[in-house]
Amino acid sequence: MGHYTNLTLSEVQDILNIYSLGEVEEIKPLSYGISNSNFKVLVVKNSQSKPFLLKISNDKNKNELNGEQEILHVLQKVGFPLSISPLKTLEQNTIFSYKVYIGAIYPFVEGITPKPESETCYQIGKALGKLHSLKKESFSKYKIRKHQTIGFELPFISNFIHKEDCPSQFKEYFWDIFPKGIDSLINEPFEEGIMHGDLYYDNTLFKDKNLITLLDFEQAGLGPLILDLGISISGTSLSNGEISPSLVEKFIEGYEKE
């Protein structure tokens, strides 16, 4: 996980020059990330060393990658404290293009991925609640993509369940949970806001047992907040591969705190 691209020091230096960040001293592949290659890059400028996160997208096009960075910049502008904005190139772009690669560079944040337990569930729920509490008037003037353009929402699922290539186990779970289907829910006026779209343990960093930042807003966009809540609960409130009611309770407790 997390390292699918091999870069030489010379290639990394070429990328750094797009930003005029300094001279590359060291590059270290990182293990986190499923659809990206991530590197910790140590850069020297004016006799000072500074780490950066170099992220190369392995499955996104320029529009998709730009959409993610635009959301991160909006979150910075509205004062959301748990996200990291990308650096801008010398030409003021949020992503870089180099050879066959596209990607972004971020300030490097030291932290660890937490273990599934009550306190971490509580803090992740609280972080999602903080994101969902952003007032629409604070971000309505910015151009933010719709979640449905990069994620799976109710109309897609409603159609997918009837297709031949839909896995039988998925169909079994679906009809067990929704014996009458979900068509009646498609036009429900669920509250919308900025979704993370993929918030679970691997997309968080903790330090001294405190959540310090959320990562990978690749699935982020404007969409139904209740869907984001379900996605996050299903990815965090697990014990031995099964949903844990006690962890769900802690997640919701943190969420409602915000």
Side-chain angles (χ1 to χ4, degrees):
M1 291 173 58
H3 178 219
Y4 311 99
T5 304
N6 292 313
L7 294 174
T8 66
L9 279 172
S10 176
E11 288 176 320
V12 172
Q13 185 62 63
D14 286 344
I15 294 172
L16 294 178
N17 290 342
I18 297 173
Y19 295 80
S20 189
L21 288 176
E23 300 297 317
V24 59
E25 184 175 40
E26 181 183 357
I27 56 173
K28 178 183 178 182
L30 300 174
S31 61
Y32 56 77
I34 295 176
S35 59
N36 308 291
S37 291
N38 296 290
F39 303 87
K40 181 180 180 180
V41 180
L42 194 61
V43 178
V44 177
K45 189 171 186 178
N46 299 326
S47 301
Q48 292 185 331
S49 295
K50 191 173 183 179
F52 294 93
L53 173 66
L54 169 60
K55 172 179 171 181
I56 291 180
S57 179
N58 294 108
D59 67 350
K60 299 288 189 298
N61 60 39
K62 286 185 179 181
N63 286 337
E64 291 170 330
L65 195 58
N66 259 324
E68 175 188 354
Q69 313 317 313
E70 288 168 359
I71 290 172
L72 289 171
H73 276 296
V74 169
L75 291 177
Q76 181 185 47
K77 290 175 182 176
V78 301
F80 182 69
L82 298 173
S83 59
I84 310 169
S85 292
L87 305 182
K88 288 192 175 182
T89 68
L90 289 173
E91 296 182 353
Q92 295 302 299
N93 296 319
T94 57
I95 67 172
F96 66 80
S97 296
Y98 173 73
K99 293 184 177 180
V100 297
Y101 308 124
I102 58 172
I105 294 182
Y106 306 82
F108 191 85
V109 177
E110 292 283 358
I112 61 170
T113 299
K115 296 179 180 179
E117 56 187 22
S118 294
E119 180 58 25
T120 52
C121 262
Y122 174 84
Q123 290 195 43
I124 295 174
K126 195 165 185 254
L128 189 67
K130 187 179 292 290
L131 178 64
H132 290 178
S133 294
L134 293 175
K135 303 298 183 183
K136 288 184 179 179
E137 54 267 26
S138 70
F139 58 78
S140 59
K141 64 180 179 180
Y142 300 106
K143 184 179 179 181
I144 301 176
R145 68 188 177 189
K146 294 283 189 180
H147 172 261
Q148 63 187 6
T149 63
I150 40 85
F152 305 121
E153 295 190 6
L154 293 181
F156 176 92
I157 298 170
S158 182
N159 291 328
F160 180 64
I161 201 68
H162 297 290
K163 293 187 175 181
E164 291 184 2
D165 59 348
C166 179
S168 59
Q169 190 176 39
F170 183 86
K171 288 185 179 181
E172 181 183 343
Y173 286 151
F174 177 89
W175 291 116
D176 183 51
I177 297 171
F178 302 106
K180 296 182 180 180
I182 58 174
D183 289 350
S184 62
L185 298 175
I186 289 177
N187 295 319
E188 280 287 319
F190 294 118
E191 183 178 354
E192 294 198 345
I194 298 178
M195 295 175 54
H196 181 281
D198 195 23
L199 183 56
Y200 61 106
Y201 288 101
D202 282 359
N203 286 336
T204 66
L205 286 179
F206 278 65
K207 187 174 183 180
D208 298 328
K209 297 186 177 181
N210 293 309
L211 191 153
I212 55 174
T213 192
L214 306 182
L215 304 173
D216 288 346
F217 281 73
E218 294 180 21
Q219 301 295 317
L222 292 176
L225 300 181
I226 194 171
L227 174 61
D228 204 23
L229 183 60
I231 290 170
S232 193
I233 286 176
S234 68
T236 57
S237 304
L238 299 174
S239 178
N240 298 319
E242 299 288 337
I243 291 288
S244 165
S246 62
L247 291 181
V248 173
E249 287 181 7
K250 291 303 293 186
F251 188 102
I252 294 298
E253 181 184 340
Y255 184 83
E256 291 183 337
K257 184 75 173 178
E258 293 292 335

